[in-house]
Amino acid sequence: MTVKPQSKGRCQSCDALMVKGQMTRHLARCAYPEKGATVRVIQLRAANGPYWIDLDVKADAQLGELDEFLRAIWLECCGHLSAFTIGATEYSVMPEDDPWGPRNRQRSMEITAGKALPKEGATFVYEYDFGSTTELKLKVGAALQAPKRSDAVRLLARNEPPALECEACDAPAAFACGFCSHLEDTGLVCAAHVDDHHCGEEGMLPAVNSPRMGVCAYTGEVE
Ligand SMILES: [Zn+2]
Ligand SMILES: [Zn+2]
Ligand SMILES: [Zn+2]
Ligand SMILES: [Zn+2]
């Protein structure tokens, strides 16, 4: 068995680069100075494969604001539905009666993070788009006092873009084919090999630092 090297990420406060396993301890020192006015936040790590971000959300912010943040940085392509599943409760954009009978208890995202999120160390799931679903695993970190701010969510750290190679040469991939699955690193091509890919040029999407790369019409982060 080969041990995969831990993926590295960058602290958004000081730009330091380190492996994922060291980031939480670093952030405790770097992103939470003990001076000035503060606001109560909850730390979260969201992850999918090699993609991960550390963030903190204000305890009194709504789940809907966390949803907006995740969409903007990683997911939004055509305004699909999304939901958080926390314990037995599903918080969705549009709660509705489930035609398949009682499953999860459904609620709206109009609830504060402080109320809805489980305790430190617990995990929960977020799904974007119930057709070509992108699923994120979220882990709850510490509840802390962060410097006061207006934004509901603050990005603390983010993975460095994974090195993706073209399937036909050693060059970095510039495009991901939307018809191929990227689980086996197929359908990744450099600009010179777009024409050679077996699905054709039609489904090509930009290779971006997101777990939704190459899915549906995803083209990258919302500015
Ligand atoms: Zn830092
Ligand atoms: Zn879409
Ligand atoms: Zn190539
Ligand atoms: Zn393809």
Side-chain angles (χ1 to χ4, degrees):
M1 206 179 114
T2 52
V3 180
K4 270 195 186 170
Q6 261 201 68
S7 120
K8 284 187 179 169
R10 216 170 264 286
C11 171
Q12 303 296 296
S13 304
C14 73
D15 218 35
L17 185 68
M18 70 198 72
V19 294
K20 188 163 71 167
Q22 289 174 352
M23 189 58 83
T24 307
R25 193 187 301 175
H26 172 80
L27 290 173
R29 282 185 284 116
C30 188
Y32 300 92
E34 286 171 7
K35 271 189 228 141
T38 59
V39 59
R40 192 168 166 263
V41 297
I42 300 163
Q43 253 188 21
L44 292 172
R45 171 169 288 167
N48 172 314
Y51 305 98
W52 56 276
I53 48 177
D54 285 326
L55 57 91
D56 65 19
V57 57
K58 283 182 185 171
D60 66 359
Q62 307 227 312
L63 277 192
E65 293 178 283
L66 179 58
D67 174 62
E68 275 171 30
F69 179 87
L70 295 172
R71 284 171 179 256
I73 192 167
W74 261 358
L75 302 163
E76 188 65 271
C77 51
C78 2
H80 301 282
L81 296 179
S82 59
F84 294 96
T85 303
I86 303 174
T89 308
E90 185 179 286
Y91 299 91
S92 54
V93 174
M94 274 195 278
E96 54 192 343
D97 288 331
D98 194 327
W100 307 104
R103 187 181 44 140
N104 291 318
R105 261 188 320 133
Q106 285 199 319
R107 297 189 59 170
S108 93
M109 288 188 189
E110 287 172 19
I111 181 170
T112 63
K115 265 194 175 156
L117 296 182
K119 63 177 191 322
E120 185 173 352
T123 58
F124 60 100
V125 167
Y126 171 88
E127 289 162 285
Y128 174 77
D129 180 5
F130 296 101
S132 304
T133 309
T134 301
E135 185 180 302
L136 309 180
K137 203 171 181 194
L138 288 107
K139 185 165 187 190
V140 182
L144 297 161
Q145 295 292 329
K148 206 164 179 175
R149 64 184 197 232
S150 59
D151 291 344
V153 181
R154 172 173 68 148
L155 181 66
L156 299 170
R158 180 177 193 170
N159 70 277
E160 286 287 283
L164 302 171
E165 247 177 41
C166 171
E167 62 186 9
C169 71
D170 295 337
F175 299 94
C177 170
F179 301 128
C180 285
S181 139
H182 306 291
L183 295 175
E184 279 129 37
D185 286 345
T186 56
L188 296 168
V189 290
C190 71
H193 286 116
V194 174
D195 297 344
D196 301 338
H197 180 64
H198 62 87
C199 302
E201 221 177 315
E202 214 177 310
M204 288 298 168
L205 292 159
V208 287
N209 186 12
S210 155
R212 199 159 172 81
M213 175 189 71
V215 180
C216 193
Y218 189 72
T219 55
E221 197 168 338
V222 178
E223 292 300 331

